[in-house]
């Protein structure tokens, strides 16, 4: 009697295990064409006391591959978005036309002075100098405006990314609860795990994360710097503030993680860092000495410095000094405000306040050609073409890598923009590399997680036969038990 009851118990248990296995295979087959689905493993293990148990249904890909996927997704998100931002910057600056617009306008301005020296009495040559000077000032101001608009656009996108990240964090926490409850009920967690893995991957594209799974299957999520994002009973929220003058700050539950003067480890890499790399700090004064400004900030600082080189009256051999006649004593520093060719507007960044002297711009004052025929350092064309001048980055409020030695005016502009051009090329190369890495990893995971219909159907047939055989055993044991009980009566 005891033996027969034991048979019935084991048969019922086996029937339940095999039925759960059939359900898992059925889900695999139903999701064969779903690229986001991860195949469930169906396997059984023997109990020490007899009978079988279904091993917990898991994703086929190992934890190491899943961790690699999060890291590479983060790298790819950073590289791809950086490349996109540099593409936008290329269009704004003019790199997509092989030469920055500011350099083109500078070259045209210098060439106009060459033409004027050849024909000093020509009204047309004087008008060419005036026209190219206006074009140069308008281009510097225009690019400054375009950069400011680009920065505002990125700030808006960062706010959206922060919102998306917070939604994903909440979703991961909710799915953690669902998975833990499903395990308690010994029901399948496959669908919830697939949804959570997708959410983790989407989050990893925004910020770099580390994931540790506890004994109840819940994903504990941390930033790469160790700050808690999702824990057993709580979630953290990201926030972003562009701040006055663009002194952007990113916080996690109110704790400062990134400011205008630095980056926290958790931003490395991911799309959020790619955005932040372009907008942190907007004025030279908002970036501490030795700290690296954002890409847009670098360009704005460079534009300020370029504008200031044209109105520089302190450096021997400068354009403004030569044009105003200060070098030969015909002008005094006090009179330079009225005699300088270009001017700056007090209280405004140089890139926005850079303009042609009003009376020259309106044509009420002629172009002074005197300095074109002076000697030595006072010869205006010699000043424009001199290869012996040094652009002192520190004096211009720029980091040392902007230093330009042995450059004429065109060379200074070309050298400064070459720094940005290099970033454009590197970003494109890195984006291509990370995209290739991600594709290879997805291919590797797909080879383990992908559903092979033939294999699934074959295994399903085996389990169905096992289920039928087990049901027959259950039926026979039940019949024997009924006969035994009838004989006792």
């Amino acid at each position: 009697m005891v033996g027969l009851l034991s048979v019935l118990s084991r048969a019922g248990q086996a029937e339940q295990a095999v039925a759960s296995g059939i359900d898992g295979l059925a889900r695999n087959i139903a999701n064969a064409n779903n690229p986001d689905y991860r195949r469930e493993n169906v396997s059984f293990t023997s109990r020490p006391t007899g009978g079988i148990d279904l091993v917990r249904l898991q994703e086929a890909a190992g934890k190491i591959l899943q961790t690699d996927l999060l890291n590479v997704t983060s790298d790819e998100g950073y590289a791809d978005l950086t490349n996109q931002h540099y593409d936008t910057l290329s269009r704004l600056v003019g790199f997509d036309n092989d030469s920055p617009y500011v350099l083109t306008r500078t070259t045209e301005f210098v060439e106009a002075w060459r033409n004027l020296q050849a024909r000093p009495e020509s009204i047309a040559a004087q008008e060419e100098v005036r026209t190219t000077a206006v074009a140069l000032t308008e281009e510097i101001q225009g690019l400054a405006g375009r950069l400011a608009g680009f920065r505002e656009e990125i700030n808006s996108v960062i706010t959206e990314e922060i919102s998306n990240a917070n939604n994903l964090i909440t979703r991961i926490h909710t799915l953690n609860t669902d998975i833990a409850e499903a395990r308690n009920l010994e029901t399948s967690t496959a669908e919830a795990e697939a949804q959570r893995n997708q959410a983790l991957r989407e989050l990893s594209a925004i910020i770099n994360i580390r994931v540790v799974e506890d004994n109840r299957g819940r994903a504990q999520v941390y930033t790469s710097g160790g700050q808690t994002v999702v824990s057993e009973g709580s979630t953290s929220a990201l926030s972003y503030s562009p701040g006055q003058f663009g002194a952007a700050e990113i916080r996690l539950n109110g704790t400062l993680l990134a400011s205008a003067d630095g980056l926290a480890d958790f931003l490395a890499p991911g799309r959020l860092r790619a955005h932040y790399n372009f907008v942190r700090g907007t004025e030279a004064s908002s970036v501490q000495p030795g700290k690296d400004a954002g890409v847009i900030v670098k360009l704005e600082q460079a534009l300020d410095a370029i504008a200031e080189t044209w109105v520089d009256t302190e450096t021997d051999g400068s354009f403004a000094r030569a044009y105003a006649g200060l070098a030969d004593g015909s002008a005094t520093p006090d009179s330079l405000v009225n005699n300088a060719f270009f001017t700056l507007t007090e209280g405004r960044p140089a890139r926005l306040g850079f303009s042609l002297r009003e009376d020259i711009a309106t044509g009420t004052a002629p172009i002074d050609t005197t300095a074109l025929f002076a000697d030595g350092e006072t010869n205006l064309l010699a000043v424009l073409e001199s290869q012996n001048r040094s652009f002192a980055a520190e004096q211009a409020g720029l980091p040392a890598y902007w230093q330009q030695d042995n450059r004429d005016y065109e060379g200074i502009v070309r050298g400064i923009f070459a720094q940005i051009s290099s970033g454009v090329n590197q970003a494109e190369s890195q984006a291509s590399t990370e995209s290739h890495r991600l594709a290879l990893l997805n291919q590797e995971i797909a080879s383990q997680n992908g559903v092979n219909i033939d294999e699934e159907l074959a295994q399903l047939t085996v389990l169905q036969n096992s289920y039928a055989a087990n049901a027959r055993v259950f039926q026979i044991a039940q019949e024997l038990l009924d006969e035994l009980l009838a004989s006792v009566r």
Side-chain angles (χ1 to χ4, degrees):
M1 182 71 175
V2 174
L4 190 57
L5 290 174
S6 177
V7 170
L8 284 171
S9 175
R10 293 179 184 179
Q13 181 189 82
E15 188 173 36
Q16 183 179 10
V18 172
S20 296
I22 291 174
D23 287 342
L25 292 174
R27 280 191 293 273
N28 288 345
I29 294 171
N31 287 279
N33 295 321
N34 182 356
D36 294 325
Y37 182 75
R38 297 294 179 253
R39 178 174 59 87
E40 298 178 11
N41 285 326
V42 176
S43 58
F44 301 90
T45 183
S46 299
R47 283 188 169 187
T49 57
I52 62 172
D53 275 330
L54 176 68
V55 174
R56 188 175 78 85
L57 303 180
Q58 299 176 342
E59 289 190 348
K63 296 300 181 184
I64 293 179
L65 276 181
Q66 291 294 341
T67 299
D68 288 345
L69 179 61
L70 293 181
N71 290 335
V72 175
T73 298
S74 188
D75 292 339
E76 195 273 341
Y78 170 80
D80 180 63
L81 196 56
T82 297
N83 187 42
Q84 290 182 39
H85 283 339
Y86 268 122
D87 280 345
T88 300
L89 204 61
S90 292
R91 291 192 295 273
L92 295 180
V93 173
F95 287 144
D96 54 342
N97 292 324
D98 298 326
S99 179
Y101 301 133
V102 174
L103 176 58
T104 300
R105 300 293 173 256
T106 301
T107 300
E108 291 171 350
F109 178 64
V110 173
E111 183 61 28
W113 277 106
R114 293 192 184 105
N115 293 336
L116 183 59
Q117 186 178 50
R119 299 176 296 158
E121 304 302 325
S122 170
I123 300 300
Q126 289 198 25
E127 185 60 30
E128 183 184 9
V129 170
R130 193 187 335 273
T131 301
T132 56
V134 170
L136 176 59
T137 59
E138 289 180 345
E139 177 53 37
I140 289 178
Q141 290 182 22
L143 178 54
R146 296 194 295 274
L147 290 175
F150 186 33
R151 183 173 61 251
E152 291 304 310
E153 180 183 329
I154 293 179
N155 279 332
S156 177
V157 174
I158 289 179
T159 300
E160 184 178 344
E161 291 273 32
I162 292 285
S163 177
N164 290 338
N166 287 333
N167 288 337
L168 288 168
I169 289 169
T170 301
R171 178 161 177 73
I172 290 166
H173 185 265
T174 300
L175 289 168
N176 273 346
T177 302
D178 294 344
I179 290 169
E181 290 177 354
R183 283 200 178 187
N184 288 337
L185 298 173
E186 296 184 352
T187 58
S188 174
T189 62
E191 184 175 353
E193 287 184 357
Q195 293 178 14
R196 186 184 65 187
N197 285 342
Q198 180 62 28
L200 286 169
R201 182 173 176 179
E202 291 177 14
L203 181 61
S204 71
I206 300 174
I207 60 173
N208 190 245
I209 57 175
R210 299 289 181 266
V211 179
V212 178
E213 190 173 306
D214 66 17
N215 57 9
R216 296 185 63 192
R218 295 171 301 196
Q220 312 296 308
V221 184
Y222 306 91
T223 70
S224 57
Q227 295 87 359
T228 301
V229 178
V230 178
S231 63
E232 177 181 345
S234 65
T235 60
S236 297
L238 292 163
S239 61
Y240 176 66
S241 172
Q244 189 177 14
F245 304 117
E249 294 180 347
I250 296 178
R251 295 176 180 270
L252 184 69
N253 276 5
T255 301
L256 183 64
L257 293 180
S259 66
D261 298 332
L263 285 169
D265 290 340
F266 97 104
L267 285 175
R271 292 202 304 265
L272 197 55
R273 173 157 188 163
H275 292 307
Y276 197 66
N277 276 349
F278 277 75
V279 299
R280 64 182 191 272
T282 60
E283 302 292 342
S285 60
S286 72
V287 181
Q288 295 177 2
K291 298 290 186 179
D292 195 11
V295 176
I296 292 175
V297 180
K298 290 178 183 178
L299 267 174
E300 290 177 330
Q301 291 174 338
L303 286 178
D304 284 340
I306 290 171
E308 287 167 356
T309 62
W310 291 110
V311 296
D312 171 27
T313 59
E314 300 299 324
T315 304
D316 288 338
S318 69
F319 173 82
R321 195 177 179 93
Y323 185 84
L326 180 62
D328 62 7
S330 61
T332 64
D334 292 338
S335 66
L336 271 180
V337 174
N338 296 321
N339 290 326
F341 192 85
F342 293 109
T343 63
L344 298 178
T345 302
E346 187 176 354
R348 301 192 72 190
R351 62 186 181 276
L352 295 174
F354 180 56
S355 62
L356 182 60
R357 203 178 78 194
E358 185 176 358
D359 57 353
I360 296 177
T362 58
T364 57
I367 303 297
D368 187 355
T369 61
T370 305
L372 281 171
F373 304 99
D375 295 327
E377 290 185 349
T378 61
N379 184 291
L380 190 58
L381 192 59
V383 167
L384 289 171
E385 297 177 341
S386 174
Q387 295 284 337
N388 297 320
R389 61 181 292 112
S390 175
F391 174 64
E394 292 182 3
Q395 292 180 0
L398 298 179
Y401 54 74
W402 291 113
Q403 186 76 32
Q404 302 293 323
D405 293 325
N406 300 320
R407 298 290 182 98
D408 56 19
Y409 270 88
E410 292 173 84
I412 290 172
V413 177
R414 184 181 292 105
I416 286 177
F417 277 94
Q419 303 278 354
I420 305 298
S421 179
S422 175
V424 172
N425 296 331
Q426 290 177 9
E428 184 176 1
S429 176
Q430 185 178 4
S432 177
T433 298
E434 295 302 335
S435 177
H436 183 64
R437 284 182 64 207
L438 185 59
L440 289 177
L441 185 55
N442 276 324
Q443 184 178 2
E444 182 178 358
I445 291 176
S447 68
Q448 296 190 29
N449 287 344
V451 176
N452 185 306
I453 292 293
D454 292 337
E455 292 179 2
E456 301 298 325
L457 288 175
Q459 191 173 4
L460 182 61
T461 300
V462 171
L463 288 186
Q464 287 173 333
N465 290 338
S466 297
Y467 185 86
N470 189 68
R472 180 58 180 159
V473 170
F474 195 93
Q475 181 183 357
I476 293 173
Q478 184 65 49
E479 291 173 355
L480 291 174
L481 180 59
D482 291 342
E483 291 180 8
L484 182 59
L485 291 175
S487 65
V488 171
R489 296 192 188 97

